[in-house]
Amino acid sequence: MRIRLLRDLEIVLEQLHDFSNSVERLEQYRTPGDVAATLLWDAYLRGDLDRPLIVDLGCGTGVLTFGSLLLKGNSAVCLDIDWRALEVARDNLREFRGAYDLVAAEVENLPLRPLGDRCVVVMNPPFGVKNRGADLRFLRRALSVCSTVYSIHKYSPESLKIISELASEMGFTLAVVAETTMTLKQRLRHHRKRVHRFEVFLIRLTKTTS
Ligand code: SAH
């Protein structure tokens, strides 16, 4: 299938399978098609998906890996701590068999040495709401492997500040690709509202110093 428009990509991504049983502690929710597509479209237009390896940390259902491979990507690593999530990813990614590896591991144990310009990270990590600091641990790991990183974060002025500081500490420049609203359907019984909306920012980090 050829994707010509951002809207086509949103629709395809929105149709992928969701988590069969979301684990709340792991902050599992599938990235909505519109948000995933906005991030990947930017990476695609900038030529970042031309790199030999795409790395998706906390890949869950594999939405970002799927979109990257569909648009351009040569090969991908899809890492998640939860093997049941990876079964959903494998199902979603079946048309790309041979182009990706599924890795069941804690993000700190990502089995990759620094690859610099030979890879790009596309990720929607846990927001660090249930598991404080998880978002920053993901970012640190991502920035230590690839020279360009795309990521999605829950917006607050403090979180943007903390992430900007981490980026410059690690020699990266941060650009905000988009600020948007994420809409998630609630599936856990104790949630009172049927949908949950909050602001997110989509960022691109690029290495500025060696
Ligand atoms: N990008 C995915 C999932 C986003 S939710 C999608 O769109 O479907 C965050 C994901 O991070 C979940 O799948 C969760 O299982 C994973 N995760 C949480 N903590 C982790 C850790 N310490 N190491 C690796 N993966 C983790």
Side-chain angles (χ1 to χ4, degrees):
M1 174 182 192
R2 271 195 71 127
I3 296 288
R4 292 173 198 281
L5 298 170
L6 174 60
R7 183 76 192 125
D8 295 338
L9 182 62
E10 287 179 22
I11 292 168
V12 174
L13 297 183
E14 194 56 38
Q15 285 165 355
L16 296 178
H17 297 299
D18 204 340
F19 289 98
S20 42
N21 267 313
S22 294
V23 181
E24 197 173 1
R25 174 178 50 82
L26 295 175
E27 303 189 55
Q28 289 182 336
Y29 50 84
R30 193 190 59 167
T31 313
D34 57 343
V35 176
T38 302
L39 188 78
L40 295 174
W41 200 251
D42 191 81
Y44 171 58
L45 293 181
R46 289 178 191 278
D48 289 332
L49 298 182
D50 296 343
R51 296 181 179 206
L53 185 67
I54 313 282
V55 180
D56 181 355
L57 301 179
C59 66
T61 60
V63 171
L64 295 172
T65 298
F66 183 99
S68 303
L69 291 173
L70 186 63
L71 284 171
K72 189 74 195 209
N74 300 303
S75 62
V77 168
C78 172
L79 173 143
D80 203 284
I81 199 167
D82 181 7
W83 62 267
R84 284 192 309 177
L86 291 176
E87 285 185 345
V88 179
R90 186 174 54 199
D91 193 21
N92 280 330
L93 292 166
R94 58 191 179 279
E95 68 189 83
F96 297 111
R97 193 166 300 143
Y100 66 88
D101 285 313
L102 298 177
V103 179
E106 147 69 30
V107 68
E108 309 271 7
N109 299 330
L110 167 69
L112 283 181
R113 61 196 163 82
L115 291 171
D117 294 344
R118 281 170 289 151
C119 67
V120 59
V121 174
V122 291
M123 66 177 186
N124 178 16
F127 285 141
V129 173
K130 298 281 165 202
N131 186 353
R132 279 187 77 82
D135 49 344
L136 297 179
R137 287 195 297 115
F138 270 70
L139 264 179
R140 276 187 189 282
R141 193 67 191 103
L143 298 177
S144 69
V145 175
C146 303
S147 62
T148 298
V149 171
Y150 287 82
S151 189
I152 301 172
H153 297 270
K154 188 166 188 171
Y155 178 77
S156 76
E158 305 83 74
S159 63
L160 184 52
K161 181 166 173 281
I162 291 170
I163 289 170
S164 303
E165 283 168 4
L166 174 65
S168 67
E169 179 193 311
M170 292 187 69
F172 280 75
T173 302
L174 179 150
V176 176
V177 170
E179 290 177 36
T180 185
T181 304
M182 196 181 263
T183 307
L184 300 178
K185 292 193 197 83
Q186 295 289 26
R187 296 183 314 162
L188 300 166
R189 225 172 288 148
H190 69 269
H191 287 139
R192 275 172 293 140
K193 287 192 279 178
R194 305 259 311 268
V195 292
H196 181 43
R197 286 199 180 86
F198 49 90
E199 297 306 304
V200 290
F201 58 107
L202 282 46
I203 54 174
R204 176 176 188 256
L205 300 128
T206 45
K207 186 103 178 131
T208 36
T209 56
S210 51

